Amino acid sequence: MARYKHTELGKQTSYTDQYDPSLLCPIPRDEARPATFSTKDLPFKGVDLWTAYELSWLNADGLPQIAIAEFLVPCDSASITESKSLKLYLNSYSQTQFASHEQVKQRLIDDLSSAVGGSVEVTLYQISEFNGFKPIAEPQGNCIDHEPVTIDCYEPNPALLQVQGSEAVEETLYSHLLKSNCPVTDQPDWASVYITYKGPKIDPAALLKYIVSYRQQQDFHELCVESIFTDIMQCCKPCELTVYACYLRRGGIDINPFRSTCYTSPPVSY
């Protein structure tokens, strides 16, 4: 497993409220990805959807402004941004004056794109806008959390995955029981994971056992989702596959990796 001693994770930190892009700490994706594929030759496309709920700055008159920010980071970017460094960076906006929302947005685009080595898309929402665009509701599909299973494996094990015959189906299966742990601090990360596929029917009980097997895994969100995607492709052989994990926010930020054979970013239906 890659080591991350150069990051701010797990360290005492001084917070600054004056804009400072040097706080961003990139982590090369290829350091953590398995040797079987690299950023230059990925078996999927997609993005990491970051949502920052605690962004504030001062306007030209010194009046505080607030927004909820969404960042779309392409999965083929050279690096990810370590999450604590992103929080420190966003906090550095809080006592800095900007002429407009557009100036803040462009500064975010420039800094994040430079840090990850890819084109990052940024959307700034007013609170009322975000609540209107992002209602909380149960998704379309079948929840597998109540399948009758006995669990005895808490380390990722692709051998748990099974299919039921060869007849092709098209469906979405999801679970709210995905848990992994930060590879540096060992803090728990909780997520709902949505798996949409077309191909041989995946055994839902077997899939639930596989998802729960991540319970003691130490890895970043992005790598967990890429491992789930790769294992399902190899073991179940769907002709189309999308894996989308929505992690609960920690420190005012949530990270939602999306990997797919079909789409580059999450459709509105998720």
Side-chain angles (χ1 to χ4, degrees):
M1 178 183 293
R3 297 288 179 249
Y4 306 102
K5 292 182 179 179
H6 64 290
T7 74
E8 292 299 322
L9 282 172
K11 300 178 184 177
Q12 282 195 327
T13 307
S14 297
Y15 281 76
T16 178
D17 56 12
Q18 297 297 318
Y19 169 71
D20 185 359
S22 71
L23 293 167
L24 290 169
C25 178
I27 297 175
R29 290 187 189 268
D30 285 347
E31 281 188 7
R33 279 176 168 156
T36 51
F37 61 88
S38 72
T39 301
K40 295 179 180 180
D41 186 25
L42 297 173
F44 46 70
K45 48 192 173 183
V47 295
D48 303 321
L49 171 58
W50 297 59
T51 309
Y53 295 87
E54 301 173 3
L55 175 61
S56 183
W57 65 94
L58 305 180
N59 71 8
D61 297 319
L63 180 68
Q65 307 292 295
I66 60 173
I68 294 176
E70 277 191 350
F71 311 126
L72 284 178
V73 183
C75 69
D76 59 356
S77 63
S79 300
I80 62 174
T81 301
E82 185 271 303
S83 58
K84 185 175 180 181
S85 80
L86 179 63
K87 180 175 177 60
L88 294 171
Y89 163 72
L90 294 177
N91 190 72
S92 78
Y93 279 71
S94 61
Q95 286 297 113
T96 306
Q97 288 185 305
F98 293 93
S100 64
H101 279 61
E102 190 58 37
Q103 185 184 16
V104 172
K105 178 180 176 180
Q106 192 58 52
R107 195 67 61 88
L108 290 164
I109 291 172
D110 293 344
D111 292 345
L112 292 170
S113 297
S114 176
V116 305
S119 297
V120 176
E121 296 180 28
V122 175
T123 303
L124 297 184
Y125 292 99
Q126 299 291 335
I127 303 300
S128 57
E129 285 182 310
F130 188 84
N131 291 336
F133 291 146
K134 307 285 183 177
I136 297 175
E138 196 72 357
Q140 299 293 320
N142 299 315
C143 181
I144 62 175
D145 290 346
H146 302 293
E147 291 290 324
V149 296
T150 298
I151 305 293
D152 58 7
C153 178
Y154 300 103
E155 296 291 343
N157 183 2
L160 294 169
L161 291 165
Q162 299 179 24
V163 297
Q164 298 177 330
S166 58
E167 183 178 352
V169 301
E170 188 171 359
E171 64 177 350
T172 296
L173 303 175
Y174 65 92
S175 171
H176 301 303
L177 301 183
L178 178 62
K179 172 189 170 287
S180 55
N181 302 294
C182 173
V184 180
T185 66
D186 206 33
Q187 293 183 76
D189 294 313
W190 309 90
S192 297
V193 59
Y194 306 94
I195 296 162
T196 301
Y197 73 97
K198 182 177 181 180
K201 183 173 178 59
I202 297 174
D203 183 326
L207 179 61
L208 178 60
K209 293 174 71 173
Y210 169 74
I211 290 170
V212 173
S213 76
Y214 276 78
R215 196 167 180 81
Q216 294 181 330
Q217 174 70 356
Q218 291 184 297
D219 224 333
F220 289 125
H221 305 357
E222 298 90 342
L223 274 300
C224 289
V225 170
E226 291 180 1
S227 294
I228 292 170
F229 180 97
T230 303
D231 288 344
I232 293 175
M233 284 297 293
Q234 291 179 346
C235 297
C236 303
K237 297 182 170 38
C239 56
E240 296 179 4
L241 176 63
T242 296
V243 178
Y244 186 31
C246 296
Y247 280 84
L248 295 179
R249 76 184 76 162
R250 179 140 54 84
I253 299 171
D254 63 36
I255 307 169
N256 305 310
F258 177 89
R259 303 292 183 267
S260 179
T261 59
C262 307
Y263 306 101
T264 56
S265 61
V268 176
S269 58
Y270 277 97

